[in-house]
């Protein structure tokens, strides 16, 4: 084990304390109540809102993952789709969903689903939303563990566990107030820390000219063989970046619907801006002769083992560049800032998943008479559970970028078509929602996922054992889910309204319950009562 880097330890401690102090200071603004804990009393303005929205996406997975994929010679800049993909998702979310959701004053993203499709259907939709937030938090914690392991030469397992405990602590205390204000500090830390580091890294004697990339060290090469995979991930990151509670929690916490829309658009530009230093660091890492750095240990024996001495996990490229290609004082700022920034991103996803559980699952399904104080305490216990699950996932998946992209899969395939339907298609109902859920889930799981050991049972077109699925099957699953929701919903709506299928067979009570609610006079006026009722909602 290498010697502990005292300067690195001090840097991390200082920035951890900075984040913690800001979080505790912000917590003093919080009052008692469900809305205060989850949505900061709907008091977030455009300035703080833009910072917290941008910082939520620009965390450890975003920065470390982008640097990793640019550094990886098998991928390169061509495959760094997440920065522009998530920027587009913020634009789409702002233009198409933010204003509508904020005007209706929902508490969580799941509220419109439970309002229209019923409480239990909303509970089913919580599953992919929860998994998405856990994967996202896991990517952030994995990135932080990687950074700390480089700085203090400590194994990743205790690093991830210790970091998760710190991130959870002030989330419990301050709720969204603490999360939002620490996000402001986070973004400033990333901006200053990375941009100060880049000039020193670029001018390091071990780094060749990154502009001369004739060997495609970091730009990567376009391959027509993988065009389907590239399109699949591009659409996944763009549209799969919309239906997240971590996004809508900020939208719903804004003072007005107009500000909710505005912060989404401005945060999109912030995401692109903050990706630039990550791309440069990946390019610098790919252009570095690591045998000329302090990281390199000359072989004591056979000289043929020389290259093995400079091999390291590609997910560590960002902390490696900061640690070995910049002066001590600069690495102090860079490593400390990135560590604190990554930590303060974890709280956002943990809080989001816990908010949905305490309100949409515990309160609305199991304890409808629960007091606000009880709901807040349930949310606090949920924070521990979500944090533990994210920590376990962070320790099981090797690649930060794989984990980061994977967290959008179920959200894209299942939740995006459901969100479009519940917001824009009033004729959809629980039958369509449930069938669309099943179709999307089966088609996605059928494609398998090698990175988490999920075997496939559907071989899509162009599949082969060496390259895996080359067809954009995630997008196919999403489209199939959307079509299923629409077709099943409107078909059954037509059949029940015309009473081709007797209303007594409406076992989910999507149409039948509105007939039962009609006054006796309306039931006997000669017209089909269901035509006058609002169709689509359910007791499921």
């Amino acid at each position: 084990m290498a010697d502990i880097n005292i300067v690195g330890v001090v840097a991390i401690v200082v920035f951890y304390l900075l984040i913690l102090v800001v979080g505790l200071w912000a917590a003093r603004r919080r009052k008692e109540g469900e809305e205060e804990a989850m949505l900061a009393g709907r008091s977030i303005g455009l300035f703080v809102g833009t910072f917290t929205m941008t910082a939520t996406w620009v965390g450890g997975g975003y920065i470390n993952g982008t640097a990793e994929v640019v550094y990886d010679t098998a991928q390169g800049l061509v495959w760094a789709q997440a920065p522009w993909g998530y920027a587009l998702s913020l634009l789409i979310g702002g233009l198409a969903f933010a204003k509508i959701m904020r005007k209706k004053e929902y508490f969580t993203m799941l509220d419109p689903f439970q309002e229209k499709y019923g409480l239990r259907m909303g509970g089913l939709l919580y599953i992919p939303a929860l998994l998405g937030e856990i994967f996202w938090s896991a990517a952030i914690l994995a990135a932080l563990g990687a950074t700390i392991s480089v700085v203090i030469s400590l194994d990743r397992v205790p690093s991830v566990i210790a970091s998760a405990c710190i991130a959870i602590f002030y989330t419990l205390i301050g709720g969204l107030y603490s999360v939002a204000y620490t996000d402001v500090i986070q973004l400033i830390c990333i901006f200053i820390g990375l941009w100060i580091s880049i000039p020193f890294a670029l001018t390091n004697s071990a780094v060749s000219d990154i502009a001369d990339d004739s060997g495609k060290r970091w730009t990567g090469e376009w391959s027509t063989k993988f065009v389907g995979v590239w399109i699949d991930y591009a659409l996944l990151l763009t549209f799969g970046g919309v239906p997240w509670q971590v996004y809508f929690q900020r939208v719903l916490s804004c003072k007005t619907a107009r500000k909710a829309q505005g912060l989404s658009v401005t945060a999109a530009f912030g995401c692109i801006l903050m990706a630039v230093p990550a791309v440069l660091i990946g390019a610098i890492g790919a252009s570095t002769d690591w045998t000329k750095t302090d990281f390199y240990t000359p072989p004591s024996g056979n000289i043929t083992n020389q290259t093995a001495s400079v091999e390291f996990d590609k997910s560590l490229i960002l902390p490696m560049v900061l640690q070995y290609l910049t002066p001590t004082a600069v690495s102090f700022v860079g490593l400390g800032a990135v560590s604190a920034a990554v930590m303060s991103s974890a709280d956002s996803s943990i809080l989001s998943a816990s908010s949905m559980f305490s309100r949409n699952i515990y309160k609305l399904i199991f304890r409808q008479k629960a007091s606000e104080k009880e709901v807040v305490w349930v949310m606090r216990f949920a924070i521990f559970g979500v944090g533990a699950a994210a920590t376990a996932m962070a320790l099981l998946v090797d690649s930060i970028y794989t984990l980061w992209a994977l967290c959008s899969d179920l959200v894209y395939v299942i939740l995006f078509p459901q969100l479009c339907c519940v917001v824009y298609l009033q004729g959809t109902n629980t039958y369509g929602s449930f069938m669309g859920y099943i179709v999307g889930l089966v088609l996605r799981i059928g494609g398998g996922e090698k990175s988490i050991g999920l075997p496939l049972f559907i071989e899509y077109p162009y599949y082969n054992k060496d390259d895996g699925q080359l067809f954009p099957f995630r997008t196919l699953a999403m489209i199939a889910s959307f079509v299923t929701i629409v077709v099943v919903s409107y078909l059954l709506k037509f059949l029940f309204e015309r009473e081709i299928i007797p209303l007594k067979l409406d076992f989910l009570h999507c149409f039948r319950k509105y007939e039962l609610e009609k006054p006796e006079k309306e039931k006997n006026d000669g017209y089909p009562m269901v035509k006058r009722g609002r169709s689509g909602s359910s007791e499921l």
Side-chain angles (χ1 to χ4, degrees):
M1 180 180 290
D3 294 334
I4 293 178
N5 186 327
I6 302 300
V7 172
V9 173
V10 172
I12 289 177
V13 170
V14 168
F15 281 94
Y16 271 20
L17 288 175
L18 174 63
I19 294 296
L20 189 58
V21 168
V22 172
L24 294 176
W25 170 82
R28 296 175 60 188
R29 296 189 56 187
R30 203 192 86 183
K31 303 174 184 177
E32 291 300 321
E34 189 178 349
E35 188 175 71
E36 287 287 325
M38 295 181 186
L39 300 174
R42 301 193 194 271
S43 63
I44 301 297
L46 185 59
F47 177 78
V48 174
T50 299
F51 268 79
T52 186
M53 181 73 83
T54 305
T56 297
W57 296 115
V58 183
Y62 191 96
I63 297 296
N64 290 51
T66 300
E68 174 191 336
V69 78
V70 173
Y71 168 76
D72 188 357
T73 54
Q75 299 182 76
L77 182 63
V78 171
W79 285 89
Q81 302 163 298
W84 57 264
Y86 278 126
L88 284 176
S89 76
L90 285 170
L91 282 174
I92 293 169
L95 296 175
F97 299 101
K99 196 172 182 180
I100 297 172
M101 295 285 281
R102 178 60 186 88
K103 274 187 174 181
K104 294 188 176 181
E105 298 191 347
Y106 292 125
F107 269 73
T108 74
M109 177 186 70
L110 294 181
D111 283 356
F113 296 109
Q114 291 188 310
E115 179 181 273
K116 187 174 180 61
Y117 300 146
L119 299 180
R120 291 177 178 81
M121 189 65 221
L124 281 177
L125 291 169
Y126 173 67
I127 297 172
L130 171 66
L131 292 177
E133 298 290 0
I134 289 177
F135 287 148
W136 180 273
S137 300
I140 293 166
L141 291 172
L144 183 53
T147 301
I148 293 178
S149 66
V150 169
V151 175
I152 63 177
S153 302
L154 184 66
D155 185 70
R156 185 179 297 194
V157 174
S159 300
V160 169
I161 294 174
S163 304
C165 292
I166 295 171
I168 288 169
F169 176 68
Y170 67 84
T171 307
L172 283 170
I173 298 172
L176 188 58
Y177 277 116
S178 292
V179 171
Y181 282 93
T182 53
D183 280 346
V184 174
I185 301 300
Q186 168 196 2
L187 207 60
I188 294 173
C189 287
I190 291 182
F191 189 84
I192 294 175
L194 295 187
W195 279 111
I196 285 178
S197 305
I198 285 172
F200 292 97
L202 278 171
T203 55
N204 190 287
S205 59
V207 180
S208 60
D209 185 8
I210 66 170
D212 180 17
D213 195 44
S214 54
K216 304 293 183 183
R217 293 188 306 266
W218 60 271
T219 54
E221 294 186 77
W222 178 263
S223 173
T224 54
K225 180 180 180 181
F226 296 103
V227 65
V229 179
W230 192 94
I231 292 172
D232 206 18
Y233 276 112
L235 294 174
L236 182 151
L237 293 168
T238 300
F239 296 103
V242 177
W244 288 80
Q245 167 63 10
V246 74
Y247 165 72
F248 283 108
Q249 193 156 30
R250 279 138 188 81
V251 165
L252 298 173
S253 68
C254 283
K255 292 179 179 178
T256 65
R258 187 176 182 85
K259 286 182 179 179
Q261 193 172 46
L263 72 87
S264 297
V265 175
T266 52
F269 292 102
C271 282
I272 293 294
L273 178 64
M274 297 303 295
V276 175
V279 170
L280 288 175
I281 286 175
I284 290 168
S287 304
T288 299
D289 182 353
W290 289 97
T291 62
K292 296 179 181 180
T293 67
D294 293 338
F295 172 73
Y296 173 68
T297 303
S300 56
N302 191 345
I303 196 170
T304 59
N305 293 329
Q306 200 170 33
T307 55
S309 301
V310 293
E311 290 182 355
F312 55 84
D313 186 347
K314 62 186 179 182
S315 69
L316 301 177
I317 187 59
L318 187 141
M320 289 290 292
V321 168
L322 296 177
Q323 177 81 342
Y324 295 104
L325 299 181
T326 64
T328 301
V330 175
S331 67
F332 181 99
V333 177
L335 288 169
V338 171
S339 298
V342 172
M343 179 188 67
S344 67
S345 293
D347 55 20
S348 299
S349 287
I350 292 172
L351 179 64
S352 296
S354 303
S355 298
M356 287 188 291
F357 175 81
S358 60
R359 175 174 172 79
N360 300 102
I361 305 300
Y362 180 79
K363 180 179 181 179
L364 296 183
I365 295 180
F366 297 110
R367 282 273 295 170
Q368 296 176 6
K369 294 183 179 180
S371 65
E372 289 195 2
K373 185 176 181 180
E374 182 179 344
V375 172
V376 170
W377 273 105
V378 169
M379 184 182 74
R380 288 170 178 164
F381 282 113
I383 286 171
F384 280 110
V386 174
T391 303
M393 184 63 69
L395 300 174
L396 293 174
V397 179
D398 295 330
S399 171
I400 294 171
Y401 197 85
T402 298
L403 184 60
W404 190 44
L406 202 132
C407 68
S408 290
D409 268 32
L410 292 179
V411 174
Y412 172 55
V413 171
I414 296 176
L415 289 184
F416 180 69
Q418 297 275 357
L419 181 65
C420 291
C421 290
V422 79
V423 171
Y424 286 104
L425 297 178
Q426 297 304 313
T428 56
N429 51 56
T430 315
Y431 294 104
S433 177
F434 180 73
M435 290 304 300
Y437 186 108
I438 297 300
V439 168
L441 183 64
V442 170
L443 292 178
R444 173 58 192 94
I445 292 178
E449 186 57 59
K450 186 184 295 184
S451 62
I452 59 172
L454 180 67
L456 61 90
F457 58 83
I458 300 176
E459 293 185 2
Y460 289 97
Y462 312 115
Y463 169 82
N464 65 70
K465 291 184 178 179
D466 294 329
D467 302 312
Q469 306 282 12
L470 298 178
F471 187 79
F473 71 99
R474 297 172 184 83
T475 300
L476 174 66
M478 185 276 290
I479 294 173
S481 179
F482 179 81
V483 171
T484 301
I485 296 170
V486 175
V487 171
V488 172
S489 292
Y490 281 91
L491 177 60
L492 289 180
K493 183 175 184 292
F494 173 81
L495 293 175
F496 277 119
E497 286 186 352
R498 298 297 179 92
E499 296 194 46
I500 297 172
I501 298 179
L503 284 174
K504 65 181 180 180
L505 297 180
D506 178 23
F507 63 94
L508 296 184
H509 295 184
C510 289
F511 309 96
R512 190 174 167 208
K513 76 171 186 177
Y514 294 104
E515 180 187 16
L516 299 176
E517 292 171 359
K518 289 295 178 181
E520 192 66 29
K521 181 180 177 181
E522 290 188 14
K523 290 184 179 181
N524 298 307
D525 64 1
Y527 295 95
M529 278 66 68
V530 72
K531 290 184 179 180
R532 298 184 178 186
R534 182 188 60 180
S535 63
S537 189
S538 168
E539 294 293 340
L540 176 63

